[in-house]
Amino acid sequence: MSNLGEKVKKIRSKNAGPFWITIDVFCGDKKIYKDVCNKLKNAKISSLFMISEQDLKRFEIDNLNVIKFSFPRKIIQGDIFDRDMHGAQLAVILSEMKF
Amino acid sequence: MIPIKVLVPSGVLGLGFDLEALNNGIKNNPDIISIDGGSTDSGPFSLGSGTSKYSRAAIKAEWKSLMIAREKANVPLVIGSCGTCGTNRMVDWMENITIELAKELNQHLKIAKLYCDQQKEYIKESYKLNKILSLNPAPKLNNKVIDEMSNIVALAGAEQIQECINTGADIILAGRTTDTAIISALPLMKGANPGSSWHGAKVAECGALCSTNPTSGVVMVEFDKTGFTVEPMSKNAFCTSQTVAAHMLYENADPYILYEPGGYMDVTYSNYYNIDRKKVRVEGAIWNSSINYNVKLEGAKIAGYQTSLLVLLRDNNYVKNIKKWTDKLTDFLKKEIYERMDIDSSEYSLEFRHIGLDSILGELEKKLGSPVEVGVLCLITSKNEISIEIAKLINPFLLHFPLSFNEELPTFAFPFSPVHSNRGCVYEFALNHILELDDPMDAFQIQISEV
């Protein structure tokens, strides 16, 4: 078992406006993309980010070999309890997950 | 129709662009130069305080290059979301810079200003008439919250920018506008494919971010009846079908759908292909008009007055027990603040973050390593400036608070004098809503001037 980040080309996260976070998993090639699509379950993603599965949007973008996840922020961007306004460090949660 | 060329110098004014690439763009005869001036991307402070994120000097220097380029090309120059937040005051700020530069450059100009501020009474009335609808997720809205907001703006779309273009202005200074509308407005007016007008605008709204060389800034988009072609203007930048298609992912919660005033664009069935090494052709986006004409609202209100303190700990026993230390310290301080200042803990927020441990991910952090040192960031936020006094009360305990009471008084590392930093007024976003309009100009005003 290796980390997801070692298997794919790149994982990035970013705020999408003040109310959403979006994470892009660039798989690199079709084989890895298919493998990741099959094995990366929404339940697992939801539990890693402590959100409900209903709030999670998932997009499988075949032509780019990308899997994208979006979900509403629990803490709105720039709120006094916000720790990462751009949410760009959240990507490590996916890169460091065992795969 | 004759194809319409829109020159986009960069993703935002203030970030810089390659001057040679800008000149290449001008040589390619654009019909308009469009640049974004703002965003909510840096948080609520800009809108809350009604100020620019970038320095006036940086804005002026870049605007000067664009005003010179505009004169050469003899086409309109449009900036959306002036001064980051796009309030009326920031539109006037941008006008002030423009007038200064017009004098320095000896340019005679017609300027159109688009105002996007919303009056509280109008918002309350619209709310009462159910013309304000919440998006997901939306902060709670009521009249009290509306009263508390320091600034409310509506995001202009293509229609309002087109009104400005129709005035024949040389320079258009728009308040808060969608990033895409400043680019799509002219091609839409001239009969370009509507879906592709929005799609091309979306691809180019971050400048050369859709290319292999994002920092070069400048791109040209050519719009026609069936699609658009995008080309970076720097010698060292290339667009590929991948870089262009991938841009739809960036900062978008949905990679296929983009809502704009008056409808939404759908790029599910778009095709991307390289025409040559640099240029990418895209076709197939669809525009769906909505029945009602809705614009998005943005608003910010004061979250409180914040003061921060930072203490650094290297003592191994304290580093190992850092959470226990701040838990004990929190209980102790709440009691002290109540006893000495008569302030109940419900009247302020006191938070400790452990830098080196989990200060970024918080409860989501899975890896708890063993750092050699930890920084403890203490944040106090209160309804008024009492947070400074609370910070001063906290100061000696942050320096000396012991884990157990039978040990010699410890002393930790303060990196600053004064120890506390007054962060002043901090804001929070208070709207994720749309406003329904009978006419696109209902919530917007245009002012014309000559210099």
Side-chain angles (χ1 to χ4, degrees):
Chain A
M1 277 239 286
S2 57
N3 289 345
L4 181 62
E6 292 160 21
K7 192 157 170 82
V8 301
K9 198 172 147 199
K10 182 173 141 189
I11 304 178
R12 71 175 181 197
S13 59
K14 179 78 175 65
N15 65 306
F19 300 93
W20 285 75
I21 291 287
T22 191
I23 306 173
D24 302 328
V25 182
F26 292 82
C27 295
D29 68 46
K30 194 60 75 194
K31 189 168 163 277
I32 295 169
Y33 170 70
K34 286 285 171 209
D35 191 34
V36 176
C37 281
N38 287 334
K39 290 183 190 155
L40 205 55
K41 304 289 184 206
N42 286 357
K44 176 72 183 167
I45 304 292
S46 311
S47 90
L48 280 175
F49 291 97
M50 293 187 178
I51 51 165
S52 80
E53 218 175 310
Q54 291 101 300
D55 280 342
L56 183 72
K57 288 191 182 185
R58 176 190 181 114
F59 303 93
E60 295 180 0
I61 304 149
D62 290 352
N63 61 333
L64 295 172
N65 296 323
V66 168
I67 307 159
K68 185 179 183 71
F69 298 97
S70 300
F71 52 88
R73 294 175 84 117
K74 286 208 281 191
I75 293 171
I76 296 169
Q77 186 190 18
D79 181 277
I80 61 165
F81 295 111
D82 187 18
R83 290 159 175 263
D84 178 6
M85 288 216 301
H86 299 92
Q89 293 297 304
L90 287 171
V92 301
I93 294 176
L94 273 197
S95 358
E96 290 178 0
M97 75 174 270
K98 292 278 170 251
F99 187 77
Chain B
M1 72 170 282
I2 307 159
I4 296 294
K5 290 185 194 171
V6 181
L7 184 67
V8 183
S10 89
V12 65
L13 190 72
L15 208 59
F17 43 80
D18 176 351
L19 269 179
E20 198 189 324
L22 180 69
N23 285 328
N24 287 342
I26 296 302
K27 280 182 206 148
N28 279 296
N29 303 315
D31 296 291
I32 192 167
I33 305 168
S34 300
I35 189 159
D36 189 13
S39 167
T40 55
D41 208 50
S42 300
F45 184 78
S46 174
L47 180 60
S49 61
T51 54
S52 165
K53 167 189 162 182
Y54 293 110
S55 78
R56 192 180 192 277
I59 296 291
K60 188 175 171 184
E62 288 185 23
W63 195 234
K64 184 177 179 178
S65 305
L66 295 184
M67 281 176 63
I68 294 168
R70 187 215 69 81
E71 194 180 37
K72 258 190 230 162
N74 194 26
V75 295
L77 167 64
V78 185
I79 178 166
S81 306
C82 286
T84 315
C85 56
T87 56
N88 292 0
R89 206 179 108 201
M90 282 293 100
V91 172
D92 293 342
W93 179 78
M94 202 62 213
E95 183 190 34
N96 186 279
I97 293 170
T98 307
I99 292 169
E100 259 178 45
L101 284 168
K103 284 178 188 157
E104 287 172 27
L105 299 168
N106 196 25
Q107 290 187 4
H108 299 275
L109 301 164
K110 185 172 179 182
I111 300 171
K113 291 189 288 180
L114 177 67
Y115 284 143
C116 304
D117 275 12
Q118 303 305 309
Q119 300 308 312
K120 287 176 182 174
E121 289 314 311
Y122 174 66
I123 294 299
K124 281 184 195 168
E125 186 61 20
S126 303
Y127 182 62
K128 205 171 94 185
L129 296 170
N130 290 322
K131 299 238 177 198
I132 293 180
L133 304 171
S134 58
L135 299 171
N136 176 41
K140 204 176 141 204
L141 189 63
N142 53 42
N143 282 350
K144 185 174 167 280
V145 173
I146 295 170
D147 277 329
E148 283 170 357
M149 280 187 246
S150 51
N151 283 303
I152 305 172
V153 290
L155 276 78
E159 291 76 7
Q160 296 82 2
I161 298 296
Q162 287 164 353
E163 287 278 331
C164 294
I165 294 172
N166 281 333
T167 66
D170 302 302
I171 290 186
I172 297 168
L173 307 173
R176 190 69 174 117
T177 309
T178 70
D179 299 350
T180 38
I182 49 167
I183 302 169
S184 67
L186 187 67
L188 285 168
M189 260 170 98
K190 300 288 185 186
N193 180 282
S196 294
S197 295
W198 286 108
H199 191 186
K202 179 65 200 167
V203 162
E205 58 118 347
C206 290
L209 206 61
C210 62
S211 78
T212 53
N213 184 359
T215 54
S216 62
V218 194
V219 292
M220 182 85 89
V221 196
E222 192 172 320
F223 297 89
D224 55 48
K225 278 259 178 232
T226 53
F228 70 90
T229 306
V230 58
E231 180 184 6
M233 290 293 106
S234 163
K235 277 189 303 209
N236 308 315
F238 305 91
C239 276
T240 70
S241 55
Q242 290 267 316
T243 62
V244 173
H247 188 64
M248 276 306 293
L249 303 171
Y250 186 67
E251 294 183 329
N252 274 359
D254 187 316
Y256 302 114
I257 305 285
L258 185 71
Y259 283 88
E260 290 287 339
Y264 70 93
M265 144 193 121
D266 184 349
V267 304
T268 309
Y269 302 108
S270 287
N271 288 310
Y272 306 76
Y273 56 93
N274 269 87
I275 294 181
D276 56 32
R277 263 179 88 214
K278 275 179 94 77
K279 282 189 208 170
V280 169
R281 173 78 183 166
V282 188
E283 293 179 359
I286 294 162
W287 172 254
N288 295 285
S289 292
S290 53
I291 298 162
N292 297 324
Y293 187 86
N294 298 325
V295 290
K296 202 171 169 208
L297 295 173
E298 286 170 359
K301 66 187 179 81
I302 293 174
Y305 292 81
Q306 195 169 66
T307 305
S308 65
L309 304 123
L310 180 66
V311 66
L312 310 173
L313 296 90
R314 179 64 178 77
D315 182 307
N316 192 37
N317 185 39
Y318 281 80
V319 170
K320 267 199 310 201
N321 293 292
I322 195 67
K323 287 208 165 164
K324 193 173 152 197
W325 184 69
T326 50
D327 283 348
K328 279 184 82 166
L329 185 57
T330 303
D331 292 342
F332 173 80
L333 289 173
K334 287 193 169 171
K335 230 174 98 206
E336 287 294 305
I337 293 164
Y338 181 70
E339 281 172 9
R340 295 209 214 171
M341 299 178 78
D342 198 24
I343 301 172
D344 188 77
S345 63
S346 63
E347 291 174 53
Y348 61 91
S349 141
L350 171 65
E351 195 197 358
F352 290 103
R353 296 188 192 172
H354 308 95
I355 298 170
L357 211 66
D358 61 357
S359 67
I360 303 172
L361 298 180
E363 59 179 2
L364 300 181
E365 184 57 76
K366 291 275 187 289
K367 270 190 179 174
L368 289 183
S370 34
V372 290
E373 63 174 30
V374 172
V376 172
L377 178 65
C378 174
L379 294 170
I380 308 127
T381 315
S382 56
K383 286 193 184 96
N384 51 38
E385 282 166 334
I386 198 74
S387 61
I388 300 170
E389 288 300 308
I390 296 176
K392 287 179 179 174
L393 185 146
I394 289 175
N395 175 323
F397 303 107
L398 214 50
L399 185 64
H400 293 302
F401 191 73
L403 260 173
S404 59
F405 286 100
N406 54 5
E407 66 181 287
E408 199 185 318
L409 210 61
T411 302
F412 306 110
F414 274 158
F416 306 124
S417 172
V419 176
H420 72 273
S421 308
N422 176 13
R423 299 190 13 82
C425 191
V426 294
Y427 297 86
E428 62 192 26
F429 287 117
L431 285 169
N432 190 23
H433 294 74
I434 51 172
L435 168 68
E436 188 189 318
L437 300 176
D438 296 328
D439 180 279
M441 287 310 293
D442 278 356
F444 304 91
Q445 296 86 39
I446 293 174
Q447 270 188 23
I448 306 294
S449 60
E450 298 211 12
V451 54

